[in-house]
Amino acid sequence: NAGVTQTPKFQVLKTGQSMTLQCAQDMNHEYMSWYRQDPGMGLRLIHYSVGAGITDQGEVPNGYNVSRSTTEDFPLRLLSAAPSQTSVYFCASSFTGLGNTIYFGEGSWLTVV
Amino acid sequence: AQTVTQSQPEMSVQEAETVTLSCTYDTSESDYYLFWYKQPPSRQMILVIRQEAYKQQNATENRFSVNFQKAAKSFSLKISDSQLGDAAMYFCAYTSGTASKLTFGTGTRLQVTL
């Protein structure tokens, strides 16, 4: 079982460059989300989606863009990378409904220099 | 907005002993779930235990149990018979509604010593 797959696992960007973090899940989950994890802080929600064609902002959406054209995929785009976006990024998915198990990807380490 | 507070940045426990990690939260919702996640050095997020607010009985999973005090908005994690493999960051998290959005605390780093 693949579960939630994130690519790339490691990436170094220069300030101002753009890139896309890919997230795919094979569990037919309606809900997908992106979190970032910074030192000394828990994971914080960037964007989420409750189904194909539906996205919404989380706690820290600035500088990030998402779209959900299929149930399986939920890419996160950095349009103009900044050093403040250096972080570990996690994609997660679940069935909608209170209390359902939320599955996390293995994380993507992004460094912006 | 909901908040989750973990007031212990670091904890240490000897192997085979018991340790309790603290978590408090703030919410105006009546139905919600609380979770404890373990994050080892690999950074993988591993669900340890979950508790539904409507259930009065405290959840248990093998050596892991919680003390859920709804009125006090407290949700502590007890690890019994601690093992070296329990060493990790532990995050308390909250969710309400159907969209599975999690609010995390800042984490507690647990060290397990011989």
Side-chain angles (χ1 to χ4, degrees):
Chain A
N1 291 336
V4 179
T5 303
Q6 291 182 230
T7 56
K9 287 189 169 44
F10 300 94
Q11 183 72 48
V12 179
L13 281 179
K14 293 183 178 179
T15 297
Q17 286 186 320
S18 62
M19 78 156 298
T20 299
L21 297 176
Q22 301 290 346
C23 176
Q25 52 90 11
D26 61 357
M27 297 172 281
N28 204 30
H29 287 163
E30 304 98 340
Y31 177 80
M32 296 185 74
S33 57
W34 279 101
Y35 294 84
R36 61 177 288 174
Q37 183 180 20
D38 301 303
M41 306 185 77
L43 280 68
R44 292 182 293 167
L45 183 64
I46 303 172
H47 284 286
Y48 66 98
S49 169
V50 297
I54 306 169
T55 63
D56 206 346
Q57 296 181 351
E59 180 185 355
V60 288
N62 292 339
Y64 306 95
N65 189 277
V66 293
S67 61
R68 183 98 178 268
S69 57
T70 67
T71 299
E72 296 77 19
D73 301 298
F74 190 46
L76 179 71
R77 298 182 185 86
L78 284 71
L79 302 177
S80 179
S84 62
Q85 293 178 303
T86 294
S87 190
V88 182
Y89 292 84
F90 289 92
C91 181
S93 75
S94 73
F95 291 113
T96 53
L98 183 60
N100 281 317
T101 299
I102 299 170
Y103 296 83
F104 284 86
E106 294 183 340
S108 296
W109 276 250
L110 176 66
T111 300
V112 182
V113 298
Chain B
Q2 292 81 13
T3 58
V4 177
T5 302
Q6 294 179 250
S7 58
Q8 305 155 315
E10 291 189 6
M11 294 283 285
S12 183
V13 63
Q14 284 191 322
E15 197 177 19
E17 296 297 309
T18 297
V19 65
T20 298
L21 309 184
S22 300
C23 173
T24 59
Y25 60 96
D26 187 27
T27 183
S28 58
E29 301 289 339
S30 58
D31 197 13
Y32 50 88
Y33 269 77
L34 297 161
F35 305 86
W36 279 98
Y37 281 90
K38 172 184 178 181
Q39 188 181 51
S42 68
R43 294 280 188 150
Q44 183 181 5
M45 295 294 289
I46 302 167
L47 178 63
V48 175
I49 200 165
R50 82 179 81 190
Q51 174 81 41
E52 183 179 8
Y54 267 113
K55 289 188 176 179
Q56 294 186 348
Q57 186 173 7
N58 289 325
T60 62
E61 289 286 344
N62 300 314
R63 298 183 293 107
F64 299 88
S65 61
V66 298
N67 184 3
F68 174 50
Q69 301 289 328
K70 189 173 184 179
K73 296 181 180 175
S74 171
F75 183 60
S76 61
L77 175 70
K78 185 171 81 171
I79 306 174
S80 303
D81 186 25
S82 296
Q83 301 175 359
L84 294 177
D86 295 334
M89 282 289 287
Y90 286 82
F91 291 99
C92 179
Y94 162 100
T95 187
S96 66
T98 59
S100 300
K101 296 185 292 181
L102 289 169
T103 300
F104 286 87
T106 52
T108 297
R109 183 173 302 279
L110 179 65
Q111 292 183 319
V112 181
T113 60
L114 294 172

